[in-house]
């Protein structure tokens, strides 16, 4: 069965520092992988996704993620954190029927 | 990008009443929509998959007679919480799958905060 694990329920960085949010998945078939961001009391916004092709994908707000099949990972990065990046981030894998399996989420805090 | 709306954004009701939440895909046709429930500081829990023109598919442990789902058109799905009780208070989020995108990407609504008194 497919699953998603996000390492670290809470990550804190300083403004301007590198952001690295970790995501590992398990899947018996080539996965479709997604990162979503959720601000307080709002729905989820798609940051980026990997389906096929280039393994380094770029998303909105300066985020990018690299699909590494050998490591079953899809870590999210941003070179320089901004205060507005503080939010909850969810990694997800698409399974049969189009359902999404979510990780438990990582709360990102950005210190001034 | 694809836009999904939800209405209402917030609702307060008395115990025993029913509440309807609407989910609309505004700029694409969605044959499949999903309903999630989210508890504070928790991830999303899939409740059911809503397919246009057919019965919804509920996840294990979700009461289909309590959470009625109707997907009457390619742009609208509704979730009705029947005979709501305080334990049904939660944040409900819908999503719509855009078949025109790679990976059948899901786009999410802004959520509905339900409080049952």
């Amino acid at each position: 069965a497919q699953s998603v694990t996000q390492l670290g329920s809470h990550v804190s960085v300083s403004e301007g520092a590198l952001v690295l949010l970790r995501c590992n998945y398990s899947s018996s078939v080539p996965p479709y992988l997604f990162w979503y961001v959720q601000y307080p009391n709002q729905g989820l916004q798609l940051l980026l996704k990997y389906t096929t092709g280039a393994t380094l994908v770029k998303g909105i707000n300066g985020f990018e993620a690299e699909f590494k099949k050998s490591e079953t990972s899809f870590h999210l990065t941003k070179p320089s954190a901004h205060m507005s990046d503080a939010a909850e981030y969810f990694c997800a894998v698409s399974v049969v029927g189009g359902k999404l399996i979510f990780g438990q989420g990582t709360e990102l805090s950005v210190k001034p | 990008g694809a836009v999904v709306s939800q209405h209402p954004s917030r609702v307060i009701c008395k115990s025993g009443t029913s509440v309807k939440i609407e989910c609309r895909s505004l700029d694409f046709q969605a044959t499949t929509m999903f309903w999630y429930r989210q508890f504070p500081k928790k991830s999303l829990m899939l409740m059911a998959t809503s397919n246009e023109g057919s019965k919804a598919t509920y996840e294990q442990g979700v009461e289909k007679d309590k959470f009625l789902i109707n997907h009457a058109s390619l742009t609208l799905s509704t979730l009705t919480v029947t005979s709501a009780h305080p334990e049904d208070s939660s944040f409900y989020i819908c999503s719509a799958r855009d078949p025109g995108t790679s990976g059948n990407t899901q786009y999410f609504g802004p959520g509905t905060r339900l409080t049952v008194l």
Side-chain angles (χ1 to χ4, degrees):
Chain A
Q2 283 97 336
S3 67
V4 175
T5 301
Q6 290 182 239
L7 293 175
S9 59
H10 186 260
V11 170
S12 181
V13 301
S14 297
E15 191 173 19
L18 171 71
V19 175
L20 170 60
L21 305 183
R22 299 178 186 273
C23 173
N24 287 89
Y25 70 92
S26 68
S27 176
S28 56
V29 297
Y32 294 154
L33 295 160
F34 304 82
W35 274 100
Y36 288 88
V37 61
Q38 184 181 33
Y39 297 98
N41 296 309
Q42 294 187 25
L44 276 65
Q45 180 182 11
L46 179 66
L47 275 177
L48 48 78
K49 64 182 178 183
Y50 169 79
T51 55
T52 59
T55 56
L56 180 63
V57 293
K58 296 185 184 297
I60 62 172
N61 301 339
F63 284 93
E64 62 183 37
E66 186 170 11
F67 169 60
K68 291 187 176 181
K69 184 178 179 180
S70 61
E71 299 178 9
T72 61
S73 68
F74 191 56
H75 301 331
L76 181 71
T77 60
K78 181 174 180 177
S80 177
H82 191 272
M83 296 296 291
S84 61
D85 295 326
E88 189 83 19
Y89 291 80
F90 293 98
C91 181
V93 62
S94 179
V95 301
V96 173
K99 297 180 186 180
L100 288 177
I101 302 297
F102 284 93
Q104 65 269 46
T106 298
E107 182 182 4
L108 175 65
S109 299
V110 182
K111 299 175 290 185
Chain B
V3 180
V4 175
S5 69
Q6 258 182 266
H7 179 81
S9 59
R10 183 180 297 269
V11 58
I12 302 173
C13 69
K14 293 182 179 180
S15 185
T17 61
S18 295
V19 173
K20 180 184 285 189
I21 303 170
E22 292 186 348
C23 178
R24 294 180 185 273
S25 57
L26 298 185
D27 51 4
F28 65 98
Q29 292 185 329
T31 54
T32 305
M33 293 184 173
F34 302 86
W35 287 95
Y36 296 84
R37 183 172 179 177
Q38 186 178 35
F39 294 98
K41 301 294 185 182
K42 296 292 185 183
S43 189
L44 282 73
M45 180 190 81
L46 178 65
M47 298 174 66
T49 302
S50 170
N51 294 299
E52 189 266 338
S54 64
K55 291 184 178 180
T57 304
Y58 291 81
E59 296 299 302
Q60 191 172 11
V62 177
E63 299 176 63
K64 59 183 179 182
D65 293 332
K66 181 168 188 61
F67 298 100
L68 300 179
I69 291 172
N70 183 273
H71 194 155
S73 78
L74 288 172
T75 59
L76 173 64
S77 176
T78 60
L79 168 68
T80 301
V81 183
T82 62
S83 187
H85 287 93
E87 57 266 29
D88 299 324
S89 299
S90 193
F91 193 55
Y92 293 88
I93 308 175
C94 73
S95 71
R97 190 171 73 187
D98 185 349
T101 61
S102 61
N104 286 328
T105 304
Q106 288 186 34
Y107 294 93
F108 286 79
T112 297
R113 175 75 59 191
L114 171 63
T115 302
V116 185
L117 302 177

